[in-house]
Amino acid sequence: QVQLQESGPGLVKPSQTLSLTCTVSGASISSGGYYWSWIRQPAGKGLEWIGRIFTSGSTNYNPSLKSRVTISRDTSKNQFSLKLSSVTAADTAVYYCARYRAATSFDYWGQGTLVTVSS
Amino acid sequence: DIQMTQSPSTLSASVGDRVTITCRASQSVSDWLAWYQQKPGKAPNLLIYKASTLESGVPSRFSGSGSGTEFTLTINSLQPDDFATYYCQQYNAYSATFGQGTKVEIK
């Protein structure tokens, strides 16, 4: 059974960098046919795709966030990570990591972690 | 960027009803369209991908159709467990975009 689990600080100060890690079990992030993504959802609002990392290590980002986002991976730990710099209150959201199955879409999701940006 | 627009934003229905949700893309996405169900406090759950293919384990009362820029999600004989928010999502080689969501409420 594939499982994803987000971890990281629940509170980040404005202008600082938000850092989250997704630990994957039941599947290898190095396996072909899958991409590993971050998605966020502000309270009471819709879903926003942040970006993804491919098995090759290459990345795609949402153009609206591209200048502030870095997604990386640690294959030895079967983890991938999100860094979002210069955060503001508008970045307060539940952050999900998810697996994208090629030619289908996001088939497995983490439970989500709330990150609040506040001083 | 490809924008996805869902209608209606809210839908009131009764158990047993047939409901239809529409999703429109700002440009053609071919059939690279997925539908998700989300319940409060939970992650979204994939229902349909490639516009009309039912994800394994999803009840057959859910169906999807469409291609290009217009898509529909239909729920036949709405069940109590189906009251939730539904999202469409396009995906391609470069990005993914979600619709704003449709909340299906009890009438």
Side-chain angles (χ1 to χ4, degrees):
Chain A
Q1 175 73 348
V2 178
Q3 292 185 319
L4 295 88
Q5 178 68 58
E6 305 89 352
S7 59
L11 181 64
V12 181
K13 289 182 173 13
S15 81
Q16 293 190 343
T17 296
L18 178 160
S19 296
L20 295 173
T21 295
C22 182
T23 301
V24 179
S25 58
S28 170
I29 66 170
S30 301
S31 295
Y34 302 102
Y35 315 143
W36 303 91
S37 292
W38 288 97
I39 295 157
R40 69 181 183 179
Q41 185 172 36
K45 296 188 178 180
L47 299 156
E48 181 180 34
W49 176 75
I50 299 171
R52 62 189 174 194
I53 188 163
F54 297 82
T55 52
S56 63
S58 62
T59 53
N60 283 148
Y61 299 130
N62 185 323
S64 69
L65 298 169
K66 187 175 182 178
S67 63
R68 298 194 292 132
V69 173
T70 302
I71 296 176
S72 61
R73 62 179 185 166
D74 185 337
T75 55
S76 67
K77 295 181 179 179
N78 215 34
Q79 295 175 333
F80 63 105
S81 298
L82 168 70
K83 290 189 186 298
L84 181 65
S85 64
S86 305
V87 297
T88 69
D91 295 309
T92 294
V94 173
Y95 285 75
Y96 294 101
C97 57
R99 186 181 82 167
Y100 176 93
R101 190 173 79 221
T104 59
S105 205
F106 301 109
D107 61 348
Y108 284 96
W109 297 63
Q111 64 185 28
T113 187
L114 174 63
V115 179
T116 301
V117 178
S118 176
S119 55
Chain B
D1 295 0
I2 300 175
Q3 308 299 319
M4 308 300 292
T5 304
Q6 288 180 233
S7 60
S9 296
T10 306
L11 187 160
S12 296
S14 301
V15 172
D17 284 353
R18 181 184 185 191
V19 301
T20 299
I21 298 168
T22 297
C23 177
R24 289 186 173 87
S26 59
Q27 64 189 75
S28 177
V29 298
S30 184
D31 58 358
W32 300 112
L33 192 285
W35 290 96
Y36 299 84
Q37 177 192 70
Q38 187 180 34
K39 296 183 178 178
K42 300 293 186 183
N45 182 48
L46 179 62
L47 299 174
I48 286 168
Y49 62 91
K50 218 161 184 301
S52 60
T53 303
L54 204 63
E55 175 71 347
S56 176
V58 174
S60 59
R61 63 180 179 272
F62 291 93
S63 63
S65 64
S67 66
T69 61
E70 188 152 338
F71 303 86
T72 58
L73 171 70
T74 300
I75 311 172
N76 283 303
S77 188
L78 197 67
Q79 298 300 299
D81 192 48
D82 300 337
F83 292 97
T85 300
Y86 293 85
Y87 292 93
C88 64
Q89 177 237 327
Q90 69 82 21
Y91 49 99
N92 60 33
Y94 307 102
S95 70
T97 316
F98 292 88
Q100 81 279 17
T102 295
K103 186 175 183 179
V104 177
E105 297 181 327
I106 300 174
K107 195 175 204 177

